[in-house]
């Protein structure tokens, strides 16, 4: 075997490998199994959560195998690409035979009709005139063009329609290619991340789920206003964000968003996903002296230290917790500060916003509480981009069209044979369909009944 033959043999082997239906089954089963893994293991969570859930050994193994962002992993993308190539090669290998049938000139083959299981025979008197005209009228609309073949005292009227429906399966193949290609485009060039935007502020960077890295956008997103409504039980019923898109500092789009109603701009979608509270930048604290009973109010900001009158010491806000715990129970949003009195060690003071008398339990020389505090929220947004989405939509449309053609339409051929049989004429009605032969049999019966009814009216 020379080198040219070896090369040809290798190419044929490669082509046969990709054209194999067995390869299709193997890839589909592999995708099904790996999709189960993607369902059992939550995707795009914080790495700390995975470490706590699975331990160090499994965390390292799953991380190497990209199980935490499986649908963007190199091996999952490889499987999708392999399936795309397999479908294209399979279609390329089998399409010429179908195209030969679609584009070829119609050829009358009586033997094919006679072997069909879809046939009906009737007998009529030979005295009928213009029998051919009545048969043409009966076949009208059931075939594209009626042709006539003669042989002695016999003749055949035949026709066909729906040759093009043989491409239905290839339309389905093409739709799958579009769906997979759209998924690959989104996997390679899309992203999924999140960002928290305080009211009145704008951001340009988002944090990606899969890597935790920051991604800069070509524009800024500002949260002009955040509003929230609650049920009587205290659970949130709806939260709404007013967002503005800024291009080089100039507002170009403003819109309210709620859950499942995102803002889309330049192919990037902003979904309302969460919210939270921020420490007030301007709050007023109340300091009540247990000795004199006097109350003093001081304006303070986080990180700032104020001096308490009567020489009661100093106080500084050092933290803000959205879910402050006390004796194992949540007491809601709370500021945490440090109280320093003369000659004593600093004391940590918890100031829950909902419980202004909370500090009385400490029984100190001064009782601290939050007198006034602004409710300041941030909006939590999920940010996604999928440039392959329109390719996927095209695939869905092609899938629907292909399934309609492949399952509900067929290539149909009809033939009516007329021959003299003594004092009567024997009529044989034949039908051939490449699929749904039960429906074809019903059509043959309908043609026979229509023809009998038409002749009876003469």
């Amino acid at each position: 075997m020379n080198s040219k033959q070896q090369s040809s043999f290798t190419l044929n082997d490669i082509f046969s490998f990709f054209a194999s239906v067995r390869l299709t089954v193997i890839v589909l089963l592999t995708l099904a199994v790996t999709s189960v893994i993607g369902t059992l293991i939550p995707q795009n969570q914080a790495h700390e959560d995975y470490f706590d859930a699975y331990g160090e050994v499994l965390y390292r193994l799953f991380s190497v195998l990209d199980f935490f962002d499986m649908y963007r992993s190199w091996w999952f993308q490889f499987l999708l690409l392999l399936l795309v190539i397999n479908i294209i090669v399979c279609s390329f290998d089998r399409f010429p035979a179908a195209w030969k049938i679609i584009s070829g000139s119609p050829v009358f083959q009586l033997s094919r009709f006679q072997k069909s299981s879809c046939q009906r025979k009737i007998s009529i008197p030979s005295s009928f005139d213009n029998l051919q005209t009545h048969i043409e009228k009966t076949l009208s609309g059931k075939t594209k063009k009626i042709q006539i073949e003669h042989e002695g005292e016999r003749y055949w009227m035949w026709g066909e329609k729906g040759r093009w429906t043989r491409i239905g399966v290839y339309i389905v193949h093409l739709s799958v290619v579009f769906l997979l290609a759209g998924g690959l485009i989104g996997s390679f060039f899309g992203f999924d991340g999140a960002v928290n935007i305080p009211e009145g502020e704008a951001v340009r960077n988002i944090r990606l789920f899969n890597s935790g890295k920051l991604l800069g956008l070509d524009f800024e997103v500002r949260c002009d206003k955040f509003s929230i409504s609650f049920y009587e039980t205290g659970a949130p019923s709806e939260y709404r964000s007013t967002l503005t898109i800024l291009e080089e500092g100039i507002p170009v789009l403003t819109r309210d968003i709620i859950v499942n109603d995102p803002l889309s701009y330049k192919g990037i979608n902003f979904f309302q996903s969460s919210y939270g509270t921020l420490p007030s930048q301007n709050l007023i604290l109340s300091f009540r002296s247990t000795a004199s009973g006097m109350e003093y109010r001081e304006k303070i900001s986080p990180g700032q230290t104020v001096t308490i009158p009567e020489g009661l010491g100093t106080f500084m806000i050092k933290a803000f917790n959205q879910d402050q715990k006390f004796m194992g129970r949540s007491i809601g949003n709370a500021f945490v500060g440090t109280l320093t009195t003369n000659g004593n060690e600093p004391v940590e003071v918890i100031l829950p916003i909902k419980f202004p008398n909370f500090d009385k339990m400490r029984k100190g020389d001064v009782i601290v509480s939050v007198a006034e505090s602004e409710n300041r929220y941030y909006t939590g947004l999920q940010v996604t981009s999928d440039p392959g989405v329109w390719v996927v939509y095209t695939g869905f449309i092609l899938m629907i069209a292909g399934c309609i053609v492949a399952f509900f339409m067929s290539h149909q051929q009809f033939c009516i044979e007329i021959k003299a049989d003594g004092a009567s004429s024997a009529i044989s009605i034949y039908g051939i369909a490449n699929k749904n032969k039960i429906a074809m049999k019903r059509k043959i019966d309908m043609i026979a009944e229509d023809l009998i009814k038409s002749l009876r009216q003469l």
Side-chain angles (χ1 to χ4, degrees):
M1 182 180 294
N2 57 39
S3 59
K4 185 175 181 180
Q5 289 176 322
Q6 278 186 332
S7 175
S8 176
F9 178 78
T10 304
L11 290 176
N12 288 335
D13 278 353
I14 294 174
F15 186 86
S16 298
F17 171 77
F18 283 110
S20 170
V21 177
R22 181 181 297 178
L23 175 63
T24 308
V25 174
I26 292 174
V27 174
L28 288 175
L29 288 175
T30 305
L31 286 171
V33 172
T34 54
S35 295
V36 172
I37 297 174
T39 303
L40 296 176
I41 299 178
Q43 300 291 292
N44 297 309
Q45 303 294 313
H47 287 269
E48 296 81 5
D49 296 338
Y50 291 126
F51 191 89
D52 294 339
Y54 301 109
E56 182 178 0
V57 176
L58 286 180
Y59 168 78
R60 293 184 181 275
L61 176 62
F62 291 169
S63 181
V64 170
L65 295 175
D66 281 338
F67 280 177
F68 303 142
D69 191 17
M70 192 191 76
Y71 301 108
R72 293 179 185 271
S73 64
W74 66 268
W75 55 266
F76 193 84
Q77 293 171 344
F78 171 76
L79 288 174
L80 293 182
L81 183 61
L82 185 61
L83 185 58
V84 169
I85 296 173
N86 175 237
I87 293 173
I88 292 174
V89 175
C90 279
S91 301
F92 181 80
D93 184 46
R94 293 161 176 77
F95 184 72
W99 182 250
K100 187 177 180 180
I101 296 174
I102 295 170
S103 61
S105 300
V107 178
F108 177 66
Q109 294 179 321
L110 179 61
S111 59
R112 290 186 67 243
F113 288 107
Q114 291 176 334
K115 293 177 182 178
S116 172
S117 59
C118 303
Q119 53 180 278
R120 175 85 175 268
K121 298 182 184 296
I122 60 176
S123 179
I124 62 172
S126 298
S127 58
F128 281 113
D129 296 325
N130 301 321
L131 182 58
Q132 179 176 322
T133 302
H134 290 289
I135 294 176
E136 286 181 349
K137 184 178 179 181
T138 303
L139 284 179
S140 177
K142 296 179 176 60
T143 64
K144 186 176 181 181
K145 180 181 179 182
I146 299 174
Q147 303 187 58
I148 303 175
E149 301 286 337
H150 291 273
E151 185 181 287
E153 295 184 357
R154 293 192 305 173
Y155 64 94
W156 298 270
M157 302 179 67
W158 67 281
E160 63 178 350
K161 71 172 185 178
R163 279 192 179 198
W164 64 273
T165 60
R166 290 181 177 269
I167 68 171
V169 64
Y170 300 101
I171 297 176
V172 174
H173 288 182
L174 183 62
S175 71
V176 175
V177 171
F178 268 84
L179 291 172
L180 296 175
L184 286 171
I185 292 172
S187 180
F188 280 116
F189 304 107
F191 60 81
D192 193 359
V195 64
N196 294 332
I197 310 177
E199 281 186 283
E201 297 184 19
V203 299
R204 184 181 291 270
N205 298 321
I206 66 169
R207 189 169 297 278
L208 300 178
F209 284 139
N210 59 339
S211 63
K213 296 180 180 179
L214 291 177
L215 174 68
L217 304 177
D218 296 334
F219 52 88
E220 288 184 299
V221 184
R222 185 178 68 204
C223 177
D224 297 327
K225 182 181 179 182
F226 179 84
S227 59
I228 183 170
S229 57
F230 298 90
Y231 293 110
E232 294 181 358
T233 60
S237 61
E238 180 186 88
Y239 37 100
R240 178 185 300 268
S241 298
T242 302
L243 303 181
T244 295
I245 303 296
L246 304 165
E247 292 274 10
E248 298 181 356
I250 301 174
V252 295
L253 176 65
T254 299
R255 192 190 153 188
D256 286 0
I257 68 168
I258 57 176
V259 176
N260 297 325
D261 185 17
L263 165 66
S264 297
Y265 184 72
K266 288 187 175 181
I268 300 176
N269 304 308
F270 298 88
F271 293 87
Q272 182 73 70
S273 62
S274 63
Y275 72 95
T277 54
L278 294 169
S280 173
Q281 297 300 309
N282 297 298
L283 72 154
I284 297 177
L285 298 184
S286 168
F287 299 95
R288 183 180 296 276
S289 171
T290 56
S292 65
M294 294 295 295
E295 179 186 8
Y296 305 96
R297 294 195 172 195
E298 298 289 341
K299 187 175 182 180
I300 188 172
S301 299
Q304 180 183 356
T305 301
V306 295
T307 300
I308 307 172
E310 294 187 18
L312 295 174
T314 60
F315 189 86
M316 181 187 73
I317 296 290
K318 66 176 184 177
F320 174 80
N321 296 327
Q322 295 186 25
D323 189 21
Q324 179 67 44
K325 295 290 192 291
F326 180 74
M327 298 182 66
R329 300 181 63 181
S330 174
I331 55 176
N333 296 339
F335 290 92
V336 179
T338 302
L339 175 64
T340 304
T341 55
N342 296 329
N344 296 314
E345 294 291 328
V347 177
E348 182 179 85
V349 178
I350 299 175
L351 304 175
I353 296 176
K354 292 183 179 179
F355 306 104
N357 296 320
F358 184 83
D359 191 44
K360 284 184 178 180
M361 294 186 297
R362 188 173 51 84
K363 298 181 179 180
D365 294 335
V366 59
I367 300 171
V368 188
S369 63
V370 178
E372 297 180 20
S373 175
E374 298 176 356
N375 286 328
R376 186 164 176 253
Y377 291 98
Y378 69 82
T379 180
L381 305 177
Q382 182 178 357
V383 188
T384 66
S385 174
D386 187 357
V389 65
W390 289 108
V391 180
V392 173
Y393 288 161
T394 303
F396 278 125
I397 294 172
L398 288 174
M399 176 70 76
I400 295 171
C403 287
I404 291 173
V405 174
F407 293 105
F408 300 101
M409 299 181 181
S410 62
H411 179 196
Q412 301 175 355
Q413 298 172 279
F414 300 92
C415 176
I416 297 181
E417 179 185 35
I418 304 97
K419 65 178 178 179
D421 186 15
S424 62
S425 294
I427 298 179
S428 299
I429 307 168
Y430 304 99
I432 300 174
N434 66 323
K435 53 181 174 287
N436 200 358
K437 292 180 172 55
I438 295 177
M440 171 56 75
K441 188 170 181 58
R442 288 198 298 265
K443 284 190 176 183
I444 293 301
D445 290 336
M446 289 174 59
I447 292 173
E449 297 302 325
D450 289 345
L451 185 58
I452 292 172
K453 182 179 179 181
S454 174
L455 293 174
R456 283 176 179 172
Q457 293 175 351
L458 295 178

